[in-house]
Amino acid sequence: MSQIVSVPTQPFEGQAPGTSGLRKKVKVFQQPNYAENFIQSVFDVVSPDLGAVLVIGGDGRFHNRTVIQQAIRMAAANGYGKVLVGQGGILSTPAASHVIRKYKASGGLILSASHNPGGPDEDFGIKYNIANGGPAPESVTGAILARTKEIDIWLTVEAGDIDLDKLGDVEVGGMTVSVIDPVADYADLMEELFDFPAIRAAVKDGFTMRFDAMSAVTGPYATEILEKRLGFGRGTVVNGTPLEDFGGHHPDPNLIHAKELYDLMMGEGAPDLGAASDGDGDRNLIIGRGRFITPSDSLAMLAANIECAPAYKGRLTGIARSMPTSAAADRVAEALGVPCFETPTGWKFFGNLLDAGMATICGEESAGTGSDHVREKDGLWAVLLWLNILAARKVSVDALAREHWAKFGRNYYARHDYEGIATEGANALMAGLKDQLATLPGQSFSSLTVAVADSFSYTDPVDGSVSANQGIRVLFEGGSRVVFRLSGTGTQGATLRVYLENYTGPDGDLDAETGDMLSPQIAAAEAIAGIVQHTGCTAPDVIT
């Protein structure tokens, strides 16, 4: 066994894990001791049992391999008995969650900045997932932050780098490192959950699709499942090789960064289904021929049809959505007689509900959807559930959407992002909103009258923990609303997210332009918050 080496260090400011771990620019992580301080703080807080198993993987972005090699040595020095690492350092976030659960690991380090760009001048991230496969809860991330502020040493062993590209076992400092196939376990799980024969039959009957892996982590997974196991033609998966800089693109599956896919789906001769996933494989984009499905609507439509998938027959116990996500899923839950839970943003809040069997499917407006099969959102899972439903019901995406809205009504919805704004201005805007909460109810803004205004607080129904100050909600009479939040997933400045929603009943206009339907809410948001005054922005940077 190699000798344990103690490396003296000093704390770095600002190592606070956001909604999905610690994210900073690569150059920040490349500072001596920076990544090591954070990883050691994780190990100090979780205090692994001697011989515990740790999973390590990432989305293949620049700096992944360097940090993985260091994390392996540090794991050996901190008493782990075994590390499972994806071949090439690759493990999608949902696949990592599954591997943690399947092999009963004590937790895992996932190296990703999700949908943020990659490369030497771009973003990097580290997050810790606990033994249930889900992101560490606030009690753990808070303790990690506290530890980063007082850390004075980190531990490692004297050992060289391992060959991350060669499958099999090697020894590092008396600890076993298993380089595993990153795809096989996950692909097998998907085959257990969904009706692959029905999807194969649809493909044989001429059903076509395009999947854009965005030069990110889902490429190998999508190629194995869609092309090899389900029989879609070669070339169905595009941008399928994970690249350290994602090909110079922004691996965020929205209508701006996946515009090529959107244009294809809205054009002549479009395939039946267009889909994409993000940097680490936990988000999804769904577009039918001539019909874009918002993530909020996707959650509602999947929940309404989830029993088409064999693994979910007769076991929908509840639906959960993040607070900014539209209330479309609430109407489905009410019709099916199951609860719908409204949680703060961050997948970790769904973990308790899933573990307790209180929810089966979860989703958020930022294109994350998932179920109790893992404890992360799962982009490819959502795509496969859509495929299963379309194959079983023999309908198009557009027909399914129209049928859904005719039954439940439609929640017109958009999110406006103001990115990289001055933190002072963003904080002043939120403080101004809080100051108005008591006086807003009863006020009218053109055709809209405020019914309720509050700062969203969540009490976990499983463990009773309280998460306060999770966003400002302004609810109008008739079911429309505006929500204001500062995001925790960016790497510089502040991002203000404004969520806009207008509900139209089944007998209303169900096929109008979203922008037209939301113009009263947009005007009210500006009048209430003073976005232009506080941010200097006359228009959002991104509309999704």
Side-chain angles (χ1 to χ4, degrees):
M1 182 168 173
S2 303
Q3 185 178 349
I4 295 173
V5 179
S6 298
V7 181
T9 189
Q10 291 181 324
F12 288 89
E13 279 294 310
Q15 288 199 322
T19 49
S20 294
L22 177 66
R23 292 184 189 168
K24 302 286 181 184
K25 291 295 180 187
V26 167
K27 285 183 167 41
V28 174
F29 270 101
Q30 286 177 323
Q31 297 174 90
N33 298 335
Y34 191 88
E36 291 86 350
N37 274 21
F38 187 75
I39 293 169
Q40 185 64 54
S41 296
V42 170
F43 292 161
D44 287 347
V45 166
V46 301
S47 190
D49 293 336
L50 206 59
V53 178
L54 179 71
V55 172
I56 303 178
D59 59 12
R61 70 178 57 233
F62 183 83
H63 203 49
N64 239 32
R65 287 174 177 256
T66 302
V67 176
I68 286 173
Q69 297 285 4
Q70 193 70 293
I72 288 171
R73 288 186 282 266
M74 292 180 67
N78 279 275
Y80 284 95
K82 188 172 193 177
V83 162
L84 302 174
V85 60
Q87 186 179 26
I90 292 286
L91 268 180
S92 76
T93 292
S97 181
H98 177 53
V99 169
I100 291 169
R101 293 166 64 80
K102 178 174 180 176
Y103 295 103
K104 295 181 170 52
S106 63
L109 291 171
I110 299 176
L111 310 184
S112 170
S114 188
H115 55 292
N116 294 10
D121 297 315
E122 297 296 349
D123 298 344
F124 190 76
I126 305 177
K127 74 169 181 172
Y128 181 75
N129 281 27
I130 58 175
N132 75 348
E138 289 186 325
S139 58
V140 176
T141 56
I144 292 169
L145 173 60
R147 180 64 187 144
T148 66
K149 293 177 177 179
E150 58 190 31
I151 189 167
D152 57 1
I153 61 162
W154 55 271
L155 304 179
T156 187
V157 295
E158 290 180 352
D161 290 352
I162 70 162
D163 185 349
L164 286 171
D165 297 307
K166 185 179 178 184
L167 293 172
D169 292 356
V170 293
E171 194 178 281
V172 174
M175 177 188 75
T176 301
V177 180
S178 294
V179 180
I180 63 170
D181 181 331
V183 174
D185 288 324
Y186 177 86
D188 290 347
L189 176 64
M190 294 301 107
E191 198 154 2
E192 292 168 18
L193 298 177
F194 298 115
D195 191 346
F196 274 32
I199 301 171
R200 284 190 200 105
V203 174
K204 277 190 177 162
D205 286 344
F207 187 96
T208 55
M209 79 172 291
R210 167 74 60 88
F211 183 90
D212 188 347
M214 307 192 88
S215 302
V217 79
T218 48
Y221 297 86
T223 301
E224 170 65 26
I225 294 169
L226 298 176
E227 295 185 7
K228 294 182 180 175
R229 298 199 185 194
L230 290 174
F232 282 101
R234 284 189 64 177
T236 292
V237 178
V238 297
N239 301 313
T241 302
L243 301 175
E244 288 196 333
D245 66 348
F246 307 121
H249 299 297
H250 197 126
D252 192 354
N254 60 36
L255 300 187
I256 293 166
H257 299 299
K259 186 177 186 302
E260 200 176 302
L261 179 67
Y262 177 80
D263 290 344
L264 171 75
M265 296 307 300
M266 295 297 146
E268 291 277 321
D272 295 292
L273 179 66
S277 189
D278 70 328
D280 65 330
D282 62 359
R283 299 184 183 211
N284 70 89
L285 171 67
I286 300 294
I287 314 176
R289 185 184 293 130
R291 175 66 69 185
F292 163 63
I293 304 294
T294 69
S296 293
D297 275 344
S298 182
L299 171 64
M301 293 170 188
L302 292 177
N305 293 279
I306 197 168
E307 298 218 354
C308 291
Y312 298 95
K313 261 192 173 50
R315 65 175 202 85
L316 180 67
T317 59
I319 305 169
R321 65 168 176 86
S322 64
M323 179 273 284
T325 303
S326 92
D330 303 41
R331 300 179 193 283
V332 173
E334 187 180 357
L336 296 177
V338 299
C340 187
F341 299 93
E342 185 178 28
T343 75
T345 297
W347 203 261
K348 56 194 172 190
F349 293 103
F350 294 139
N352 277 359
L353 297 170
L354 294 169
D355 283 347
M358 295 170 73
T360 306
I361 184 171
C362 309
E364 51 191 22
E365 51 71 37
S366 55
T369 327
S371 82
D372 55 3
H373 69 292
V374 291
R375 293 298 179 269
E376 287 278 5
K377 52 197 173 206
D378 189 345
L380 205 44
W381 172 89
V383 174
L384 290 166
L385 180 51
W386 266 102
L387 280 171
N388 194 149
I389 290 166
L390 298 175
R393 296 200 48 205
K394 296 180 168 57
V395 294
S396 69
V397 173
D398 182 60
L400 187 140
R402 289 175 183 276
E403 176 194 291
H404 184 93
W405 294 327
K407 181 176 181 181
F408 297 103
R410 182 173 181 183
N411 293 69
Y412 286 96
Y413 183 90
R415 185 181 93 193
H416 289 191
D417 289 1
Y418 300 83
E419 297 180 334
I421 59 178
T423 305
E424 299 78 19
N427 289 338
L429 182 148
M430 296 301 285
L433 285 168
K434 285 181 182 174
D435 290 344
Q436 296 181 71
L437 291 178
T439 56
L440 275 172
Q443 287 191 46
S444 292
F445 298 87
S446 187
S447 60
L448 300 173
T449 301
V450 178
V452 177
D454 64 13
S455 176
F456 181 62
S457 179
Y458 176 69
T459 302
D460 191 301
V462 179
D463 64 17
S465 62
V466 176
S467 299
N469 302 314
Q470 296 294 318
I472 301 295
R473 300 189 300 180
V474 181
L475 284 63
F476 302 103
E477 293 174 2
S480 71
R481 65 176 188 158
V482 178
V483 173
F484 302 87
R485 263 189 78 244
L486 294 182
S487 168
T489 58
T491 58
Q492 57 188 354
T495 296
L496 172 68
R497 302 200 197 281
V498 182
Y499 309 85
L500 307 145
E501 181 173 358
N502 184 5
Y503 175 69
T504 301
D507 51 357
D509 188 347
L510 301 176
D511 207 19
E513 284 295 324
T514 297
D516 295 340
M517 296 298 286
L518 292 175
S519 59
Q521 286 75 22
I522 293 169
E526 173 57 38
I528 293 167
I531 297 169
V532 176
Q533 173 199 335
H534 287 293
T535 69
C537 302
T538 54
D541 296 289
V542 180
I543 298 176
T544 47

